[in-house]
Amino acid sequence: MRNVYNGIILEIERQEEKLAAKVLPIMEEAYQMTIFLQDALAKLKRDVLKDGFENEHYEMKFFRNIKPQILGKLIYYNKVFQVETGCPVRNGKMFIQYFARRLKELKNEFRQSICNTDFYKYYRSGRTDRDELYFKLGKINLKDGLNSDVFEIDLSFSTYYDHKVAHIISNELFYSYLLSKISPEENPETILKHIEDAKDIAWTGSKNALIELIYAFHASGMISNGKIGIRKLGTIFQVLFRTPLGDLHHAFHRMKVRSGSRTAFIDQLKLSLEDYMDKNL
């Protein structure tokens, strides 16, 4: 089962990188990713129903960390597609107002149905002592006063709360997307269109490697004493290297669940520097 999941995650990452390389309109990219993720989730469901789980520990891990990452992206890309197809114009005041309204709706949804719930506080705190109640099949307690959408999900492939986690993940991604729409002055793609040509400075590694480096600088707090936000820091690197990176927050979520080392590029940097030191002894 672990190998199946790792394979699906790699396929999703390859598809995202493939579409990013084509520089498609965001509407088309979101549509293609929605279809792709829908198929990936269906495949994962077939495998789970067929083979089950190795043990209870992996079952809880699957419904807390694995399935929600895929479902969360699916919900996110579908939201982006819906918003993009409903946008009345491509720029100007109406454009900003349109996305500002979507952002306000998202914030209202968060305040009304997410942030004050006991489960949200439990999940955000990193607690695991109630995972057996939240992330195992057949543990749904209707006496807890769950929302009526519990009756609309497939309980053979959901604990109900994995669906909650997926919405938390999708809302975070969607929030970053909306912010980039209503703050065009911080949109790297807009800046890159107006910057003078500087072909002598270029990032020749992968986009994921640069994103990993950006988050490492952000986490360390070594630039501006950690007072600079991740979006602004990302913009600086993207402009410096003339490399649009898309949704940094989305890419970071992929890194957190990828197979192997989650800091593959930084690990390679360390090895490269040590080799260079050895050659210059």
Side-chain angles (χ1 to χ4, degrees), residues 5-22:
Y5 166 67
N6 290 337
I8 290 177
I9 290 298
L10 288 174
E11 289 175 9
I12 292 172
E13 290 180 352
R14 292 192 190 102
Q15 180 70 2
E16 287 176 324
E17 292 177 356
K18 177 182 176 181
L19 294 178
K22 291 182 178 180

Side-chain angles (χ1 to χ4, degrees), residues 29-273:
E29 181 178 343
Y31 173 75
Q32 292 196 30
M33 282 305 304
T34 298
I35 299 301
F36 185 88
L37 288 164
Q38 189 176 30
D39 291 342
L41 195 62
K43 180 179 183 299
L44 189 62
K45 178 180 178 180
R46 289 195 299 270
D47 291 333
V48 167
L49 295 181
K50 176 184 177 183
D51 301 326
F53 299 103
E54 298 174 14
N55 50 54
E56 291 184 350
H57 171 74
Y58 188 68
E59 177 183 349
M60 290 185 288
K61 177 182 177 182
F62 176 84
F63 285 115
R64 177 175 179 133
N65 301 322
I66 297 176
K67 181 192 167 189
Q69 291 292 339
I70 301 173
L71 179 57
K73 287 184 182 181
L74 174 57
I75 296 171
Y76 162 70
Y77 278 117
N78 186 51
K79 284 183 177 180
V80 171
F81 178 74
Q82 291 177 342
V83 169
E84 288 286 337
T85 54
C87 186
V89 291
R90 291 295 114 191
N91 50 50
K93 188 175 181 180
M94 283 183 62
F95 179 87
I96 299 298
Q97 290 176 339
Y98 174 79
F99 284 99
R101 285 195 298 270
R102 303 291 84 77
L103 182 60
K104 183 177 180 180
E105 291 169 0
L106 181 64
K107 289 180 177 179
N108 288 337
E109 176 190 344
F110 175 75
R111 284 193 295 265
Q112 294 173 8
S113 60
I114 298 178
C115 69
N116 292 322
T117 64
D118 290 337
F119 174 75
Y120 180 79
K121 296 173 183 177
Y122 170 85
Y123 175 74
R124 275 289 176 235
S125 69
R127 289 170 52 192
T128 59
D129 53 288
R130 295 179 62 85
D131 277 9
E132 188 171 351
L133 297 176
Y134 288 135
F135 300 112
K136 284 186 63 179
L137 292 172
K139 290 288 186 175
I140 294 178
N141 184 1
L142 297 179
K143 290 182 179 180
D144 289 339
L146 306 180
N147 293 335
S148 59
D149 56 2
V150 67
F151 304 111
E152 300 175 9
I153 61 176
D154 185 350
L155 296 182
S156 67
F157 187 59
S158 177
T159 69
Y160 175 70
Y161 288 99
D162 66 274
H163 200 266
K164 292 284 190 182
V165 175
H167 275 282
I168 292 171
I169 292 171
S170 70
N171 283 348
E172 289 181 348
L173 297 174
F174 195 50
Y175 179 75
S176 296
Y177 156 77
L178 292 175
L179 282 181
S180 71
K181 290 291 186 176
I182 63 177
S183 302
E185 72 279 359
E186 295 186 20
N187 190 326
E189 294 185 6
T190 300
I191 297 173
L192 287 170
K193 289 179 181 178
H194 297 91
I195 196 171
E196 292 184 0
D197 195 12
K199 294 183 178 179
D200 55 325
I201 300 177
W203 180 262
T204 55
S206 70
K207 290 185 178 182
N208 280 342
L210 183 55
I211 292 171
E212 185 179 320
L213 185 63
I214 290 169
Y215 266 93
F217 277 120
H218 175 66
S220 69
M222 292 185 178
I223 297 181
S224 299
N225 294 316
K227 295 180 180 179
I228 185 171
I230 187 65
R231 292 175 64 242
K232 185 171 289 187
L233 185 61
T235 298
I236 292 171
F237 274 82
Q238 292 176 80
V239 172
L240 174 64
F241 294 117
R242 300 182 56 80
T243 305
L245 296 176
D247 192 331
L248 296 183
H249 197 63
H250 185 190
F252 183 62
H253 269 288
R254 297 203 306 266
M255 290 179 188
K256 291 197 297 183
V257 297
R258 67 187 177 187
S259 59
S261 173
R262 296 187 296 177
T263 56
F265 176 63
I266 293 175
D267 294 344
Q268 183 57 50
L269 277 183
K270 178 177 180 293
L271 292 175
S272 297
L273 179 58

